[in-house]
Amino acid sequence: MAATQGHGNPNWTRDETILALNLYLSVGGQVPGPDDPKVIALSERLRALPVHREAVKRDTFRNPAGVAFKLQNIRQVATGSGLGNVSAMDRSTWEEFGGSPLLVQRMANAIADQVASGEAVEAEITAVADDEEFAEGRVLTALHRRRERVPKLRGLLITKRRAEGRLTCECCGAGPWSGHPEMALAGFEAHHVTPLAEYKPGAVTRLRDLALLCATCHRLIHRAINVERRWVFPAQLSEMLGMPS
């Protein structure tokens, strides 16, 4: 199946496709042309994403004509009429989000906000592997990972849970894996439970935004979010895997 590249441009990422889908849904399926101000604005937004630094040097990269073409691709997936040169990314993004315009708008706004705020770091985005990318795209996945890895927050969360008398994984219920005082807590990690579409630029992560998980369950919940293509909470993972909650 051919992809909408054009002039040697890279394939469209999930983030880019979400932004294009948001425009398509906002205009009610009436695809605007390359001279439309909304298409031009989207072209500029796509070129600002820190995901294709080399390609953005080319005038053909995500230019208004290419954006209008992508909107026609989405129209074909949505209605069955129009251009037939659509990609697997077009189809999967439509299948997952085509019926949820408000969610698409929140995701598109969150992606754009992260880029505008400077929180979207290219090295972190490109480090997200295919089997780690959430349905909301790599920009927000990378931000999620960064917020979870703040050492101070993990330490405060462990201290809080210990004071509450529930120093166990919130998925499987396991406690510290070692009786050694300096190693007992090494298996615990902080997981950010806020859905990606609700992230706000510059927002302070609070302890109530975090769940304490063992390292195994933390990897499992990230994998579940990737496989299920939806947000999964710790209690839902417990139910999925038949674990005691």
Side-chain angles (χ1 to χ4, degrees):
M1 180 180 293
T4 51
Q5 292 177 286
H7 302 287
N9 287 323
N11 291 344
W12 284 62
T13 66
R14 170 66 63 130
D15 308 84
E16 294 173 310
T17 308
I18 287 172
L19 292 175
L21 176 60
N22 183 53
L23 175 54
Y24 175 82
L25 293 173
S26 72
V27 297
Q30 300 299 315
V31 177
D35 296 328
D36 188 282
K38 294 186 288 294
V39 171
I40 294 172
L42 177 56
S43 171
E44 294 172 350
R45 179 168 290 179
L46 291 168
R47 290 175 62 84
L49 284 174
V51 292
H52 297 303
R53 288 302 188 192
E54 289 303 312
V56 79
K57 297 175 183 178
R58 298 195 291 267
D59 292 339
T60 59
F61 175 73
R62 307 301 186 250
N63 61 15
V67 172
F69 189 86
K70 171 57 71 173
L71 295 175
Q72 290 287 354
N73 291 154
I74 295 174
R75 180 173 180 267
Q76 161 63 24
V77 176
T79 67
S81 62
L83 300 177
N85 189 27
V86 300
S87 69
M89 181 64 75
D90 297 334
R91 294 188 186 280
S92 64
T93 305
W94 175 262
E95 289 171 0
E96 293 167 27
F97 300 121
S100 305
L102 292 180
L103 175 58
V104 172
Q105 184 179 48
R106 289 201 302 272
M107 291 190 299
N109 289 344
I111 293 168
D113 286 345
Q114 298 312 316
V115 174
S117 70
E119 288 193 68
V121 180
E122 182 179 10
E124 296 177 353
I125 294 168
T126 56
V128 176
D130 289 343
D131 63 353
E132 298 173 322
E133 181 182 11
F134 298 161
E136 296 86 347
R138 297 192 181 197
V139 169
L140 296 182
T141 301
L143 176 65
H144 173 90
R145 290 169 56 171
R146 175 157 30 100
R147 289 188 174 183
E148 287 184 337
R149 292 174 180 177
V150 178
K152 180 180 179 181
L153 284 175
R154 175 184 173 276
L156 291 172
L157 182 61
I158 288 175
T159 299
K160 185 174 187 293
R161 291 291 187 267
R162 175 182 276 159
E164 295 168 344
R166 52 192 187 103
L167 190 59
T168 56
C169 171
E170 295 178 38
C171 277
C172 68
W177 293 355
S178 170
H180 193 292
E182 295 182 9
M183 299 177 62
L185 304 180
F188 285 118
E189 298 177 356
H191 172 65
H192 206 296
V193 297
T194 303
L196 299 184
E198 298 177 15
Y199 276 13
K200 303 297 181 184
V204 176
T205 300
R206 301 156 299 183
L207 292 183
R208 66 170 177 261
D209 299 324
L210 302 171
L212 188 67
L213 306 182
C214 68
T216 298
C217 285
H218 194 197
R219 182 160 183 81
L220 283 172
I221 200 168
H222 278 206
R223 186 64 176 142
I225 293 170
N226 171 271
V227 170
E228 294 289 315
R229 312 307 291 169
R230 63 180 176 88
W231 197 250
V232 176
F233 292 95
Q236 293 172 320
L237 178 66
S238 297
E239 184 176 351
M240 288 169 59
L241 301 180
M243 296 175 173
S245 57

